Amino acid sequence: MIVSPIEWNSPSVASNTAPNNPPGCPPGCQYVPRTQRTPMIHSAHSSRGTGHPGANNTPSLLRDRFWWPNMARDVRRFVQGCPDCAMSKSPRHLPSGKLLPLPVPNRPWSHLGVDFVTDLPPSEGNTCILVIVDRFSKSCRLLPLRGLPTALETAELLFNQVFRYYGIPEDIVSDRGPQFLQSMECLPTLRCDWDIRLRLPCKKLSPRFVGPFTILEQVNSVTYKLQLPSPYIIHPTFHVSLLKPHHEPVSLPTEPGQTEEPPLPLILDEGSVYKVKEILQSRRRYILQLT
């Protein structure tokens, strides 16, 4: 069964379409009045049969039957403000922001670089090395390990082998492996970036972006600090390559007294941030107790 993405014979459009098309309207096309343009774009872009095409493909669904001045501009404005496209579609341009050199340390062991060297030939049962480098003096600590440690073991190694001798560093540069990301939770005094982990059934189909969030300040030329909700237990500073501008959605005309509800927030690993609006169905479970 083929589902038409647009209700071409919609009574609301037919009744509001002028019988005489204005000058400039192509032959065979219907002129859409101003009050019906946004619902028409919404039908061509956001209906179930279209799949949210982009700003270039959405006008092609409209030009065969409908016309109004500056159609491409109105469609582009609507698509830019679509919340579903903003969260789900990956950007097609190169990452924003240039790579900046790391700051030059002023004292030894204030700025560290850590990484693992794995899959080494066994030596006294050890096949892995935790490399800790001081970026000021280039001095390093090599800690042999029997295998990749857990996040807690990594944090204990840093405390016992480095921090107890040289103090807490100002920053640590790593490759954002799971051992480093989770071990940073044990080091609240370090200004580190954490990933947003969503509790969703399929990672491949999960949203690429969450938000929108207000920018609090610009830390440097490529880093911004955002105002995050309290359930988001992550560091609020992000590189510009992880951000994209927010465009206000084009609201559909509603009946008097009706308001368009914003989309529900996402669920984080740390806890649910959904607000239950309505219970659609329930199932009763019985627990048998044996005596």
Side-chain angles (χ1 to χ4, degrees):
M1 181 179 65
I2 301 177
V3 180
S4 177
I6 304 179
E7 298 178 358
W8 303 110
N9 298 322
S10 174
S12 60
V13 176
S15 60
N16 289 279
T17 303
N20 297 325
N21 293 334
C25 181
C29 294
Q30 292 181 340
Y31 171 76
V32 180
R34 188 178 301 273
T35 57
Q36 295 296 326
R37 294 173 186 176
T38 300
M40 183 63 64
I41 299 175
H42 178 270
S43 178
H45 175 76
S46 305
S47 61
R48 295 182 178 180
T50 56
H52 290 259
N56 297 326
N57 295 329
T58 303
S60 62
L61 300 176
L62 298 170
R63 289 196 182 102
D64 295 338
R65 295 291 304 274
F66 304 100
W67 177 90
W68 67 84
N70 300 319
M71 176 190 291
R73 182 194 63 184
D74 296 342
V75 171
R76 182 172 300 277
R77 179 168 172 261
F78 184 93
V79 173
Q80 286 181 345
C82 178
D84 296 332
C85 295
M87 292 189 299
S88 301
K89 291 189 176 181
S90 301
R92 296 182 177 272
H93 56 78
L94 295 176
S96 304
K98 297 181 179 180
L99 294 177
L100 297 180
L102 296 173
V104 179
N106 297 323
R107 60 180 178 87
W109 297 99
S110 62
H111 297 70
L112 307 181
V114 293
D115 199 0
F116 289 105
V117 180
T118 60
D119 299 328
L120 297 175
S123 176
E124 299 182 359
N126 299 312
T127 60
C128 179
I129 297 177
L130 174 59
V131 182
I132 307 170
V133 180
D134 170 32
R135 299 212 327 263
F136 179 84
S137 63
K138 308 304 179 184
S139 176
C140 67
R141 298 290 302 271
L142 304 178
L143 306 180
L145 303 171
R146 295 185 176 274
L148 281 175
T150 62
L152 180 59
E153 294 172 347
T154 304
E156 292 178 347
L157 289 171
L158 293 175
F159 269 108
N160 298 329
Q161 302 296 331
V162 179
F163 301 162
R164 65 181 297 185
Y165 299 112
Y166 309 108
I168 301 294
E170 297 181 11
D171 68 47
I172 296 179
V173 178
S174 68
D175 60 355
R176 299 180 64 84
Q179 293 85 1
F180 300 121
L181 287 176
Q182 299 175 14
S183 63
M184 291 299 105
E185 300 178 2
C186 305
L187 310 175
T189 57
L190 299 181
R191 295 297 288 172
C192 55
D193 292 333
W194 296 343
D195 287 336
I196 300 179
R197 298 178 177 85
L198 305 177
R199 190 193 310 156
L200 296 172
C202 182
K203 183 178 180 181
K204 184 176 294 186
L205 300 179
S206 62
R208 270 59 173 173
F209 293 87
V210 294
F213 304 118
T214 303
I215 296 178
L216 295 179
E217 62 175 318
Q218 183 177 359
V219 180
N220 53 43
S221 59
V222 295
T223 309
Y224 291 86
K225 183 177 181 181
L226 307 182
Q227 183 179 1
L228 301 180
S230 56
Y232 285 54
I233 311 177
I234 57 175
H235 200 281
T237 303
F238 297 90
H239 190 266
V240 69
S241 62
L242 302 175
L243 308 174
K244 65 179 181 179
H246 168 66
H247 299 275
E248 288 293 335
V250 179
S251 59
L252 294 172
T254 57
E255 298 295 331
Q258 294 182 352
T259 58
E260 186 178 359
E261 298 182 356
L264 293 175
L266 297 172
I267 294 181
L268 301 179
D269 264 349
E270 290 78 8
S272 172
V273 292
Y274 270 111
K275 183 178 180 181
V276 178
K277 178 180 179 181
E278 182 182 359
I279 298 178
L280 301 179
Q281 190 177 6
S282 64
R283 183 177 65 177
R284 182 176 299 177
R285 293 186 178 182
Y286 297 93
I287 301 178
L288 301 180
Q289 183 176 4
L290 301 179
T291 58

